[in-house]
């Protein structure tokens, strides 16, 4: 996600300084999200045998993540405003807050898709405002971002459906089941392709 934000700001005309600020602010936000997820879900990750997690491997204990989380979360706020001003900064902070809502409250519910949709929708606003306060993402681009967020969530959750169901956990993919989740992904991808086509057409018309 950090590289995607940096690449997006570069593609849409950001200077090297603007791209660097987007990268640094995004890195602080993603660190906060990732570390809180590892700390909060450490017991669940052990039960599910997720051996790629550092807390499962024993590389770090969950309680040792508290200080890094506080530092990264504290840095996310000023870095977001420095990178993208008040509007873009608030968008980035809200995106991080939405992801934290997923980590702490919604990950195991049928609403697990919502934080992904919200966070991904806010990312174009953050990037656009980081380039210039006069720039705003189109409705089509924000709609595409919502679709990408939900698709990413489902693709990430589908492989773990059986393990999550066996553990008594919920989530949109668990609620739908593997086949319907895959069908929904296919439909969303088709809609995303239509939106991409519209975005490219509008870009060349302009």
């Amino acid at each position: 996600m950090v590289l995607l934000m940096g690449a997006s700001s570069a593609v849409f005309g950001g200077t090297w300084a603007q791209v660097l600020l987007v990268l640094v602010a995004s890195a602080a936000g993603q660190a906060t999200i990732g570390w809180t997820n590892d700390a909060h879900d450490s017991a669940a990750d052990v039960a599910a045998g997720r051996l790629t997690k550092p807390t499962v491997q024993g590389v770090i204990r969950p309680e040792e993540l508290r200080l890094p989380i506080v530092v990264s979360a504290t840095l996310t706020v000023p870095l977001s405003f420095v990178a993208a001003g008040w509007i873009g900064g608030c968008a980035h902070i809200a995106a991080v807050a939405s992801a934290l809502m997923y980590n702490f409250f919604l990950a195991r519910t049928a609403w697990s898709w919502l934080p992904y949709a919200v966070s991904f929708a806010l990312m174009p606003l953050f990037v656009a405002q980081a380039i210039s306060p006069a720039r705003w993402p189109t409705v089509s681009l924000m709609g595409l971002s919502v679709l990408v967020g939900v698709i990413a969530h489902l693709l990430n959750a589908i492989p773990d459906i059986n393990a999550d169901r066996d553990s008594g956990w919920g989530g949109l993919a668990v609620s739908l089941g593997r086949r319907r989740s895959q069908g929904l992904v296919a439909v969303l991808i088709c809609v995303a392709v239509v939106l991409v086509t519209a975005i490219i057409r509008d870009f060349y018309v302009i």
Side-chain angles (χ1 to χ4, degrees):
M1 180 61 76
V2 175
L3 294 179
L4 176 61
M5 292 298 97
S8 298
S9 60
V11 168
F12 288 103
T15 64
W16 284 109
Q18 290 169 332
V19 172
L20 180 61
L21 285 172
V22 168
L23 284 170
V24 173
S26 298
Q30 289 301 306
T32 303
I33 295 166
W35 288 334
T36 54
N37 180 271
D38 286 344
H40 185 262
D41 287 353
S42 59
D45 290 335
V46 170
R50 296 189 174 97
L51 300 179
T52 58
K53 295 280 190 174
T55 51
V56 177
Q57 295 173 344
V59 175
I60 190 169
R61 298 194 306 273
E63 57 270 22
E64 293 175 331
L65 290 171
R66 292 172 185 168
L67 179 59
I69 289 170
V70 170
V71 172
S72 62
T74 302
L75 289 175
T76 297
V77 176
L79 287 173
S80 298
F81 290 128
V82 170
W86 288 106
I87 295 175
C90 285
H92 185 245
I93 293 168
V96 173
S98 173
L100 295 178
M101 287 291 292
Y102 172 86
N103 286 347
F104 290 112
F105 302 109
L106 299 178
R108 308 303 179 192
T109 75
W111 293 95
S112 59
W113 59 274
L114 184 58
Y116 276 79
V118 171
S119 295
F120 273 72
L122 291 170
M123 288 297 99
L125 178 56
F126 169 56
V127 171
Q129 288 287 295
I131 296 170
S132 169
R135 298 196 67 167
W136 297 84
T138 64
V139 174
S140 296
L141 182 57
M142 294 187 74
L144 176 62
S145 298
V146 169
L147 292 174
V148 171
V150 178
I151 291 168
H153 169 54
L154 286 171
L155 290 178
N156 184 60
I158 287 172
D160 295 330
I161 285 178
N162 291 336
D164 288 345
R165 184 181 292 118
D166 292 343
S167 300
W169 299 328
L172 178 61
V174 173
S175 299
L176 293 176
R178 187 176 303 275
R179 182 172 298 179
R180 283 189 290 179
S181 295
Q182 292 170 338
L184 179 56
V185 168
V187 171
L188 294 177
I189 289 175
C190 291
V191 177
V193 169
V194 173
L195 277 179
V196 168
T197 303
I199 291 169
I200 293 174
R201 181 196 60 203
D202 292 343
F203 177 79
Y204 281 106
V205 168
I206 293 171

